Amino acid sequence: MIELKQRVSLINKIHLFNGLKEDQLAGIAVKFDEREIPASQIVFKRGDKPDGFYIVFKGKVNITRPGTGKDQDVFIWLTAGDYFGEEALVENRTRSATITAAEDTTLLFLTRAHFEELFSKYPNLKPNFLVAIKSHKLARSIKFSWLGPKEIIYFVARRHKLRLYQSLVVPVLSLIVPIGLFFWGTLVSAVTPLALAAISLIFILGWITWNTIDWSNDYYIVTNQRVIWLEKVIGLYDSREEAPLSTILSVGVETDQLGRMLDFGNVIVRTFVGRLEFDYVDHPNQAAEMIREYWERVKSVLTVSQKEVMNNTIRQKLGLPVDKKQLPDLPPIVTVSKDLAHLPLWWVAFLSLFTLRVEDAGKVIYHKHWIVLLQQAWRAMAFLLGMIAL
């Protein structure tokens, strides 16, 4: 039987319940039912009607969905402190995935009636759930090839849409030019203004499309191993700033009056070697709480592991039997790139020809951009092409 104090301690660490006092948390904790799920047993299936909200107290569960080539494809696993089942409740739809216990697991279960009562009694919690749901949906819709084999995305977000709107102000106002040329060409029955209107319209639409794609390519990501700022400009620029969760020193939020009105701001993650700034983040306080939660979780894992290692070392020095209890997995600082040994050598060489950033067994190698090659070789290439033409 899970004691009330343990329940309160668990849900107090989860960002979904941020903003509640201890007595309020205790009132919520007593409404959770305890469920023991043996290994391989299904908690619920894809397409089932939502019956409630779940928190993993102990053990591990797998989340599966229909995949390509197989009946099901495991795309995420959850451990103690993680939660699931909130999306179908909030959006009032059927379950989108199947949950199966990967080992003997203890769950805390909140019925649908109590879940709805929670929202009506504490409406300030709803943004916490909405940010988490939006983040999970975005994480499922995109694929990052550089993720490690045991790396799970807990939070991902783009810049606030205000940033996109700011970048579109000039190109949208520039539409006055093709509109004016079109009316001018129509009034004087001239072809040249109409042609210029068409050319300028194509250019401006391309400009708008470029800015939109550029906005959509930038992500702020928190995994079970690291925090990442991914910035990309198609064909020109690709940057990934990251820091292991274990190196974080503090997490803060900076915003202004407009940010408080529209609920956006900058999340500042300070680490041993500098800081990562997530600017124009939607719901910055909720995002900061999510980062703090997973940072604290990694710290607790490291503390337990260090204590176990120290204890075993002392016992070994004293000639006592060593406790061989399995330690929790520590997150690696740098992930290993995918194995390309099964590909032909010529294909590997071709793939690596213009690669700017390579990760291999913990090493990160940066190459000059291919534009530098063009800048240095264009004269020789032009001369060669001229000789061939002659």
Side-chain angles (χ1 to χ4, degrees):
M1 184 68 179
I2 303 174
E3 297 179 358
L4 178 61
K5 185 177 180 180
Q6 293 176 295
R7 297 184 180 199
V8 173
S9 176
L10 177 64
I11 64 176
N12 188 37
K13 296 176 183 177
I14 300 175
H15 65 91
L16 297 176
F17 302 95
N18 180 50
L20 297 182
K21 298 179 181 179
E22 188 170 351
D23 58 334
Q24 294 173 325
L25 293 173
I28 295 172
V30 296
K31 295 181 180 180
F32 278 89
D33 297 327
E34 182 179 343
R35 291 189 175 183
E36 297 291 340
I37 310 296
S40 301
Q41 180 174 317
I42 295 176
V43 180
F44 58 73
K45 295 181 180 179
R46 175 183 171 90
D48 289 349
K49 293 183 178 180
D51 57 345
F53 171 67
Y54 297 82
I55 298 176
V56 181
F57 181 81
K58 184 178 65 176
K60 182 188 294 186
V61 298
N62 288 335
I63 303 180
T64 59
R65 65 177 177 182
T68 56
K70 297 180 180 180
D71 292 334
Q72 287 188 330
D73 179 32
V74 177
F75 68 95
I76 194 171
W77 45 266
L78 304 177
T79 57
D82 290 327
Y83 54 87
F84 58 92
E86 76 287 352
E87 286 190 33
L89 291 171
V90 174
E91 299 180 351
N92 193 25
R93 56 171 174 78
T94 58
R95 300 293 191 186
S96 60
T98 299
I99 309 294
T100 309
E103 57 189 47
D104 291 343
T105 303
T106 303
L107 300 176
L108 293 178
F109 173 70
L110 188 67
T111 64
R112 181 167 188 166
H114 284 149
F115 186 84
E116 294 173 351
E117 179 186 346
L118 179 69
F119 270 21
S120 61
K121 189 174 182 180
Y122 304 108
N124 58 312
L125 295 183
K126 193 166 186 178
N128 300 349
F129 282 85
L130 293 178
V131 169
I133 292 172
K134 182 180 178 181
S135 176
H136 295 161
K137 284 185 174 181
L138 184 58
R140 292 196 297 266
S141 66
I142 52 181
K143 300 294 182 182
F144 298 109
S145 59
W146 42 262
L147 288 175
K150 292 186 178 181
E151 193 166 11
I152 302 169
I153 294 179
Y154 281 120
F155 171 77
V156 59
R158 294 188 177 101
R159 286 186 173 96
H160 194 276
K161 286 188 177 180
L162 178 65
R163 194 64 170 171
L164 172 63
Y165 300 151
Q166 289 175 340
S167 67
L168 295 180
V169 170
V170 175
V172 169
L173 292 178
S174 301
L175 289 173
I176 297 174
V177 175
I179 293 174
L181 289 172
F182 176 77
F183 281 109
W184 178 29
T186 303
L187 290 174
V188 299
S189 300
V191 177
T192 301
L194 294 176
L196 292 175
I199 294 172
S200 60
L201 180 61
I202 293 172
F203 174 78
I204 293 172
L205 292 178
W207 189 5
I208 292 174
T209 304
W210 176 271
N211 285 344
T212 304
I213 295 175
D214 182 43
W215 170 82
S216 65
N217 276 339
D218 300 338
Y219 298 99
Y220 303 123
I221 305 169
V222 179
T223 73
N224 59 333
Q225 299 176 8
R226 48 187 168 166
V227 288
I228 305 155
W229 172 25
L230 185 64
E231 188 174 10
K232 184 176 182 180
V233 178
I234 297 177
L236 295 178
Y237 183 74
D238 190 350
S239 170
R240 192 170 86 228
E241 294 187 33
E242 60 187 59
L245 287 173
S246 57
T247 66
I248 294 178
L249 297 174
S250 65
V251 180
V253 175
E254 296 178 356
T255 186
D256 52 18
Q257 185 62 34
L258 181 61
R260 285 187 288 273
M261 292 173 57
L262 299 180
D263 198 12
F264 72 86
N266 302 337
V267 178
I268 312 299
V269 181
R270 293 178 175 85
T271 68
F272 291 142
V273 294
R275 76 178 202 169
L276 291 175
E277 184 171 344
F278 296 179
D279 60 316
Y280 284 83
V281 177
D282 199 11
H283 304 294
N285 293 310
Q286 285 81 1
E289 285 300 323
M290 293 182 75
I291 297 174
R292 289 192 192 101
E293 176 185 344
Y294 301 118
W295 167 38
E296 292 292 338
R297 190 182 298 185
V298 168
K299 284 200 304 183
S300 65
V301 170
L302 289 173
T303 301
V304 171
S305 299
Q306 290 168 355
K307 287 181 179 179
E308 289 292 337
V309 171
M310 187 179 300
N311 183 46
N312 289 340
T313 302
I314 294 174
R315 293 179 68 89
Q316 188 176 14
K317 293 290 185 181
L318 295 176
L320 300 175
V322 175
D323 184 10
K324 295 184 179 180
K325 182 173 64 175
Q326 184 179 4
L327 299 177
D329 293 333
L330 297 178
I333 294 178
V334 180
T335 59
V336 180
S337 60
K338 293 183 177 180
D339 185 17
L340 301 177
H342 63 284
L343 296 177
L345 183 61
W346 65 269
W347 182 247
V348 175
F350 176 76
L351 292 177
S352 304
L353 185 61
F354 297 113
T355 302
L356 302 180
R357 187 182 192 276
V358 179
E359 293 185 23
D360 183 22
K363 296 182 297 183
V364 182
I365 303 171
Y366 294 91
H367 300 282
K368 289 183 179 179
H369 200 280
W370 56 269
I371 289 182
V372 178
L373 173 63
L374 293 180
Q375 291 174 342
Q376 296 178 351
W378 71 270
R379 293 183 180 86
M381 291 173 62
F383 179 76
L384 178 61
L385 292 175
M387 294 297 294
I388 293 174
L390 289 173

Short mmCIF file of all heavy atoms in Angstrom, two decimals, residues 290-314:
data_model
loop_
_atom_site.label_atom_id
_atom_site.label_comp_id
_atom_site.label_asym_id
_atom_site.label_seq_id
_atom_site.Cartn_x
_atom_site.Cartn_y
_atom_site.Cartn_z
N MET A 290 8.90 21.97 -16.70
CA MET A 290 9.18 20.66 -17.29
C MET A 290 10.68 20.38 -17.29
O MET A 290 11.13 19.28 -16.97
CB MET A 290 8.62 20.58 -18.71
CG MET A 290 7.10 20.61 -18.78
SD MET A 290 6.48 20.46 -20.47
CE MET A 290 6.75 18.73 -20.80
N ILE A 291 11.48 21.40 -17.64
CA ILE A 291 12.93 21.23 -17.63
C ILE A 291 13.43 20.95 -16.22
O ILE A 291 14.27 20.07 -16.00
CB ILE A 291 13.62 22.48 -18.23
CG1 ILE A 291 13.22 22.66 -19.69
CG2 ILE A 291 15.14 22.35 -18.11
CD1 ILE A 291 13.73 23.94 -20.31
N ARG A 292 12.90 21.69 -15.25
CA ARG A 292 13.32 21.47 -13.85
C ARG A 292 12.99 20.06 -13.39
O ARG A 292 13.78 19.44 -12.68
CB ARG A 292 12.64 22.50 -12.95
CG ARG A 292 13.14 23.92 -13.10
CD ARG A 292 12.63 24.82 -11.98
NE ARG A 292 12.87 26.22 -12.26
CZ ARG A 292 11.96 27.06 -12.71
NH1 ARG A 292 10.71 26.62 -12.93
NH2 ARG A 292 12.25 28.32 -12.95
N GLU A 293 11.81 19.58 -13.77
CA GLU A 293 11.40 18.25 -13.32
C GLU A 293 12.38 17.19 -13.79
O GLU A 293 12.84 16.34 -13.00
CB GLU A 293 10.00 17.93 -13.86
CG GLU A 293 9.54 16.52 -13.52
CD GLU A 293 8.21 16.15 -14.16
OE1 GLU A 293 7.50 17.07 -14.62
OE2 GLU A 293 7.90 14.95 -14.19
N TYR A 294 12.73 17.19 -15.08
CA TYR A 294 13.61 16.15 -15.61
C TYR A 294 15.05 16.37 -15.17
O TYR A 294 15.81 15.40 -15.04
CB TYR A 294 13.47 16.10 -17.13
CG TYR A 294 12.05 15.82 -17.55
CD1 TYR A 294 11.31 16.72 -18.31
CD2 TYR A 294 11.41 14.65 -17.13
CE1 TYR A 294 10.00 16.47 -18.66
CE2 TYR A 294 10.09 14.39 -17.47
CZ TYR A 294 9.40 15.30 -18.23
OH TYR A 294 8.08 15.05 -18.56
N TRP A 295 15.43 17.61 -14.92
CA TRP A 295 16.74 17.90 -14.35
C TRP A 295 16.86 17.30 -12.95
O TRP A 295 17.85 16.65 -12.63
CB TRP A 295 16.96 19.41 -14.34
CG TRP A 295 18.12 19.90 -13.53
CD1 TRP A 295 19.35 19.31 -13.41
CD2 TRP A 295 18.16 21.09 -12.73
NE1 TRP A 295 20.14 20.06 -12.59
CE2 TRP A 295 19.45 21.15 -12.16
CE3 TRP A 295 17.24 22.10 -12.48
CZ2 TRP A 295 19.83 22.20 -11.32
CZ3 TRP A 295 17.63 23.15 -11.65
CH2 TRP A 295 18.90 23.19 -11.08
N GLU A 296 15.83 17.51 -12.12
CA GLU A 296 15.84 16.95 -10.77
C GLU A 296 15.83 15.43 -10.80
O GLU A 296 16.47 14.77 -9.97
CB GLU A 296 14.62 17.46 -9.99
CG GLU A 296 14.65 18.95 -9.66
CD GLU A 296 15.75 19.29 -8.66
OE1 GLU A 296 16.19 18.38 -7.94
OE2 GLU A 296 16.16 20.47 -8.62
N ARG A 297 15.15 14.85 -11.78
CA ARG A 297 15.10 13.40 -11.88
C ARG A 297 16.48 12.83 -12.19
O ARG A 297 16.90 11.82 -11.61
CB ARG A 297 14.10 12.99 -12.96
CG ARG A 297 13.79 11.51 -12.97
CD ARG A 297 12.83 11.14 -14.08
NE ARG A 297 11.53 11.78 -13.96
CZ ARG A 297 10.50 11.53 -14.76
NH1 ARG A 297 10.63 10.64 -15.74
NH2 ARG A 297 9.35 12.15 -14.59
N VAL A 298 17.20 13.49 -13.13
CA VAL A 298 18.56 13.03 -13.46
C VAL A 298 19.48 13.20 -12.26
O VAL A 298 20.32 12.33 -11.97
CB VAL A 298 19.09 13.80 -14.68
CG1 VAL A 298 20.59 13.57 -14.85
CG2 VAL A 298 18.37 13.37 -15.94
N LYS A 299 19.34 14.30 -11.53
CA LYS A 299 20.18 14.51 -10.34
C LYS A 299 19.96 13.41 -9.31
O LYS A 299 20.92 12.93 -8.68
CB LYS A 299 19.89 15.88 -9.72
CG LYS A 299 20.50 17.04 -10.46
CD LYS A 299 20.63 18.28 -9.60
CE LYS A 299 19.32 18.71 -9.00
NZ LYS A 299 19.44 19.97 -8.22
N SER A 300 18.72 13.02 -9.11
CA SER A 300 18.44 11.97 -8.13
C SER A 300 19.03 10.64 -8.57
O SER A 300 19.56 9.87 -7.75
CB SER A 300 16.93 11.83 -7.91
OG SER A 300 16.28 11.39 -9.09
N VAL A 301 18.96 10.34 -9.88
CA VAL A 301 19.55 9.10 -10.39
C VAL A 301 21.06 9.11 -10.19
O VAL A 301 21.66 8.11 -9.76
CB VAL A 301 19.20 8.91 -11.88
CG1 VAL A 301 20.00 7.76 -12.48
CG2 VAL A 301 17.72 8.66 -12.05
N LEU A 302 21.70 10.25 -10.50
CA LEU A 302 23.14 10.36 -10.31
C LEU A 302 23.52 10.21 -8.85
O LEU A 302 24.52 9.56 -8.52
CB LEU A 302 23.63 11.70 -10.86
CG LEU A 302 23.63 11.88 -12.38
CD1 LEU A 302 23.96 13.31 -12.75
CD2 LEU A 302 24.62 10.94 -13.03
N THR A 303 22.75 10.80 -7.95
CA THR A 303 23.05 10.71 -6.52
C THR A 303 22.97 9.26 -6.04
O THR A 303 23.85 8.79 -5.32
CB THR A 303 22.07 11.59 -5.73
OG1 THR A 303 22.18 12.94 -6.16
CG2 THR A 303 22.39 11.52 -4.23
N VAL A 304 21.91 8.56 -6.43
CA VAL A 304 21.76 7.16 -6.03
C VAL A 304 22.91 6.32 -6.58
O VAL A 304 23.49 5.49 -5.87
CB VAL A 304 20.40 6.61 -6.53
CG1 VAL A 304 20.35 5.10 -6.33
CG2 VAL A 304 19.27 7.29 -5.79
N SER A 305 23.25 6.54 -7.86
CA SER A 305 24.32 5.77 -8.48
C SER A 305 25.66 6.03 -7.80
O SER A 305 26.45 5.10 -7.56
CB SER A 305 24.41 6.10 -9.97
OG SER A 305 23.21 5.78 -10.63
N GLN A 306 25.94 7.30 -7.50
CA GLN A 306 27.21 7.63 -6.84
C GLN A 306 27.29 7.02 -5.45
O GLN A 306 28.35 6.53 -5.04
CB GLN A 306 27.36 9.15 -6.78
CG GLN A 306 27.61 9.80 -8.13
CD GLN A 306 27.48 11.31 -8.09
OE1 GLN A 306 27.11 11.90 -7.08
NE2 GLN A 306 27.78 11.95 -9.21
N LYS A 307 26.17 7.03 -4.72
CA LYS A 307 26.17 6.42 -3.39
C LYS A 307 26.39 4.91 -3.47
O LYS A 307 27.12 4.34 -2.66
CB LYS A 307 24.84 6.73 -2.69
CG LYS A 307 24.70 8.16 -2.22
CD LYS A 307 23.37 8.36 -1.50
CE LYS A 307 23.24 9.80 -1.00
NZ LYS A 307 21.94 10.03 -0.31
N GLU A 308 25.77 4.26 -4.46
CA GLU A 308 25.94 2.82 -4.61
C GLU A 308 27.38 2.47 -4.97
O GLU A 308 27.96 1.52 -4.43
CB GLU A 308 24.99 2.30 -5.69
CG GLU A 308 23.52 2.30 -5.28
CD GLU A 308 23.22 1.30 -4.19
OE1 GLU A 308 23.99 0.33 -4.05
OE2 GLU A 308 22.23 1.50 -3.46
N VAL A 309 27.98 3.25 -5.87
CA VAL A 309 29.37 3.00 -6.26
C VAL A 309 30.30 3.20 -5.08
O VAL A 309 31.22 2.41 -4.82
CB VAL A 309 29.76 3.92 -7.44
CG1 VAL A 309 31.27 3.83 -7.69
CG2 VAL A 309 29.00 3.54 -8.69
N MET A 310 30.08 4.27 -4.31
CA MET A 310 30.91 4.55 -3.14
C MET A 310 30.77 3.45 -2.09
O MET A 310 31.76 2.97 -1.50
CB MET A 310 30.54 5.91 -2.54
CG MET A 310 31.45 6.37 -1.43
SD MET A 310 30.95 8.00 -0.79
CE MET A 310 31.11 8.98 -2.28
N ASN A 311 29.53 3.02 -1.86
CA ASN A 311 29.27 1.97 -0.88
C ASN A 311 29.94 0.66 -1.28
O ASN A 311 30.58 -0.01 -0.45
CB ASN A 311 27.77 1.77 -0.73
CG ASN A 311 27.42 0.74 0.32
OD1 ASN A 311 27.98 0.75 1.42
ND2 ASN A 311 26.50 -0.16 0.00
N ASN A 312 29.84 0.29 -2.56
CA ASN A 312 30.47 -0.94 -3.03
C ASN A 312 31.99 -0.86 -2.98
O ASN A 312 32.67 -1.86 -2.70
CB ASN A 312 30.01 -1.25 -4.46
CG ASN A 312 28.57 -1.69 -4.52
OD1 ASN A 312 27.99 -2.11 -3.52
ND2 ASN A 312 27.96 -1.58 -5.69
N THR A 313 32.54 0.32 -3.25
CA THR A 313 34.00 0.49 -3.18
C THR A 313 34.50 0.31 -1.76
O THR A 313 35.53 -0.36 -1.53
CB THR A 313 34.39 1.89 -3.71
OG1 THR A 313 33.93 2.04 -5.04
CG2 THR A 313 35.91 2.06 -3.69
N ILE A 314 33.80 0.89 -0.79
CA ILE A 314 34.20 0.75 0.61
C ILE A 314 34.09 -0.70 1.06
O ILE A 314 34.99 -1.24 1.73
CB ILE A 314 33.34 1.66 1.50
CG1 ILE A 314 33.63 3.14 1.18
CG2 ILE A 314 33.59 1.39 2.98
CD1 ILE A 314 32.72 4.11 1.90
#
